[in-house]
């Protein structure tokens, strides 16, 4: 188990995370803690347990087998995660799969075996594998072994990153084996970045400047459009000017998706951001005008 990260999901036949048909591997754990995180189940690197209320028949079998009395119908999130010791007996007893572990450990060979099942689709669509999360680059030793194997199989590999990683380790162990990098830039102001993402963006901006010097891979900066946080005129203008100074021509804008709002409760977390509306047409036009000098795809 040592040095093997938890993986939240292995999503096959994806069309959303890179060119062509892809397999997306969602790693668990992230050095940032963005209040709008679309994948809150992938924030923490440790094992968690989730409860799916819609699948629960309230048969009570989970309560019967829980030796720590960590499960009660009266609990807001059904499970007291401060008491739960993750023994898994409730999961085994549930007839409806309403309780599940979040994250699974995969041996590299097991993961490659799953990936190779779809190689014909990668080859025919110019697709491949995307490493996502969470943040895959907090698991560099494991990811190094994985991308080396993907390189041997001539599989196009993309890394989606928040940019907060060890630059020296990345350049040595990951960079030679990948083809594409999606690099997220969220907030330009360091104080606001710390406020909303819980860490400074200093290392992120340093890593971004470093990676654009390398011509061996394709780099695509991405900006998530979070209402009233990242999508403000001030923030987007600062990011646009920053990218211009670095001679960046192409970016991707990521519209806010409120469908994540039901996720935190499943793992016993309170919402720290609850904006429930989609990006308006007025905001779309406003944002387009800010990035009119760039080649971008959005909306």
């Amino acid at each position: 188990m040592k040095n093997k990260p938890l993986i939240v999901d292995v999503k096959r036949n994806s069309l959303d995370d890179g060119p062509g048909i892809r397999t997306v591997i969602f790693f668990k754990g992230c050095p940032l803690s963005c209040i709008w995180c679309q994948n809150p189940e992938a924030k923490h690197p440790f094992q968690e347990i989730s409860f799916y209320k819609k699948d629960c028949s309230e048969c009570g079998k989970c309560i019967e087998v829980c030796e720590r009395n960590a499960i009660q119908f009266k609990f807001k999130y059904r499970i007291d995660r401060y008491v739960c010791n993750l023994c898994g007996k409730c999961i085994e007893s549930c007839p409806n799969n309403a309780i599940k572990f979040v994250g699974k450990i995969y041996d590299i060979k097991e993961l490659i075996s799953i990936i190779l099942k779809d190689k014909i689709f990668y080859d025919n669509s110019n697709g491949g594998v995307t490493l996502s999360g969470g943040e895959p680059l907090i698991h560099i030793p494991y990811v190094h072994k994985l991308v080396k194997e993907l390189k041997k199989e001539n599989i196009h590999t993309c890394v989606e990153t928040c940019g907060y990683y060890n630059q020296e380790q990345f350049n040595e162990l990951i960079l030679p084996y990948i083809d594409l990098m999606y690099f997220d830039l969220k907030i330009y102001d360091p104080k606001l970045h710390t406020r909303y993402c819980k860490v400074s963006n200093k290392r992120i901006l340093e890593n971004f400047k470093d990676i654009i010097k390398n011509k061996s891979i394709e780099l695509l900066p991405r900006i998530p459009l979070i209402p009233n946080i990242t999508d403000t005129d001030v923030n987007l203008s600062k990011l646009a000017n920053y990218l211009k100074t670095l001679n960046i021509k192409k970016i991707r804008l990521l519209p806010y998706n409120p469908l994540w709002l039901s996720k935190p409760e499943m793992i016993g977390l309170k919402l720290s951001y609850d904006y429930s509306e989609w990006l308006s047409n007025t905001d779309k036009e406003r944002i387009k005008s800010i990035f009119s000098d760039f080649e971008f795809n959005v909306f």
Side-chain angles (χ1 to χ4, degrees):
M1 299 292 183
K2 190 177 180 181
N3 297 326
K4 290 182 181 178
L6 288 165
I7 291 172
V8 174
D9 192 16
V10 179
K11 182 181 178 183
R12 297 167 64 189
N13 300 314
S14 173
L15 299 172
D16 300 323
D17 294 86
I21 297 172
R22 308 188 72 80
T23 295
V24 186
I25 301 167
F26 293 89
F27 287 81
K28 201 168 182 336
C30 183
L32 275 59
S33 185
C34 304
I35 66 170
W36 66 84
C37 181
Q38 305 286 288
N39 296 318
E41 72 279 9
K43 269 189 177 185
H44 302 131
F46 48 81
Q47 184 70 273
E48 292 177 283
I49 198 166
S50 62
F51 169 65
Y52 298 84
K53 187 175 182 179
K54 63 181 178 60
D55 296 324
C56 178
S57 63
E58 298 193 351
C59 66
K61 291 183 179 179
C62 57
I63 296 175
E64 293 173 8
V65 299
C66 182
E67 297 174 356
R68 298 175 67 91
N69 295 318
I71 305 175
Q72 296 291 335
F73 291 140
K74 65 181 180 180
F75 293 163
K76 180 178 180 181
Y77 302 121
R78 185 61 58 88
I79 303 168
D80 186 339
R81 287 163 177 80
Y82 291 102
V83 176
C84 173
N85 64 355
L86 300 172
C87 71
K89 290 181 180 178
C90 58
I91 295 173
E92 295 172 2
S93 70
C94 181
N96 303 312
N97 293 317
I99 309 175
K100 299 176 184 178
F101 278 129
V102 181
K104 175 183 174 182
I105 290 176
Y106 288 83
D107 183 80
I108 294 289
K109 289 183 179 179
E110 181 184 5
L111 208 49
I112 291 294
S113 176
I114 295 171
I115 289 166
L116 289 178
K117 291 178 181 179
D118 295 321
K119 192 171 188 301
I120 187 171
F121 299 113
Y122 312 149
D123 293 342
N124 290 335
S125 68
N126 293 317
V129 171
T130 297
L131 309 184
S132 187
E135 173 54 59
L137 297 180
I138 66 171
H139 308 291
I140 283 182
Y142 180 92
V143 171
H144 168 66
K145 294 176 183 178
L146 176 60
V147 293
K148 276 184 69 176
E149 292 301 315
L150 294 174
K151 192 75 169 180
K152 288 178 185 177
E153 299 291 344
N154 196 31
I155 294 175
H156 181 279
T157 304
C158 170
V159 171
E160 294 182 334
T161 180
C162 69
Y164 198 95
Y165 55 80
N166 183 297
Q167 186 181 117
E168 184 178 353
Q169 284 189 332
F170 169 79
N171 287 341
E172 178 186 356
L173 299 175
I174 307 299
L175 185 58
Y177 304 100
I178 63 175
D179 305 286
L180 172 63
M181 194 170 190
Y182 285 167
F183 197 113
D184 290 355
L185 296 171
K186 300 176 173 69
I187 302 173
Y188 186 76
D189 182 272
K191 290 183 179 179
L192 290 177
H193 197 281
T194 302
R195 176 181 174 184
Y196 291 114
C197 303
K198 310 309 177 187
V199 300
S200 168
N201 61 356
K202 184 175 184 290
R203 176 185 288 190
I204 295 169
L205 297 181
E206 288 174 352
N207 286 341
F208 186 71
K209 281 188 176 181
D210 179 71
I211 195 67
I212 62 176
K213 299 173 186 175
N214 194 291
K215 305 302 180 183
S216 65
I217 66 167
E218 181 183 354
L219 174 68
L220 184 64
R222 306 190 306 179
I223 301 172
L225 303 173
I226 310 304
N228 305 318
I229 299 179
T230 72
D231 79 339
T232 66
D233 287 355
V234 172
N235 183 59
L236 295 181
S237 296
K238 286 182 177 180
L239 286 173
N241 290 332
Y242 172 73
L243 293 169
K244 285 179 186 177
T245 63
L246 297 174
N247 203 32
I248 299 295
K249 306 291 186 183
K250 184 178 180 181
I251 62 172
R252 176 166 293 172
L253 302 176
L254 304 175
Y256 175 71
N257 183 343
L259 297 180
W260 72 278
L261 291 171
S262 63
K263 287 185 175 183
E265 185 173 326
M266 294 178 184
I267 52 175
L269 297 178
K270 295 179 180 179
L271 278 173
S272 51
Y273 178 78
D274 60 358
Y275 197 89
S276 60
E277 297 180 18
W278 297 84
L279 207 61
S280 69
N281 289 331
T282 301
D283 281 329
K284 290 177 184 179
E285 294 306 314
R286 172 179 61 84
I287 293 166
K288 283 181 181 180
S289 67
I290 294 173
F291 291 100
S292 59
D293 293 337
F294 294 85
E295 177 187 347
F296 65 88
N297 57 336
V298 70
F299 319 132

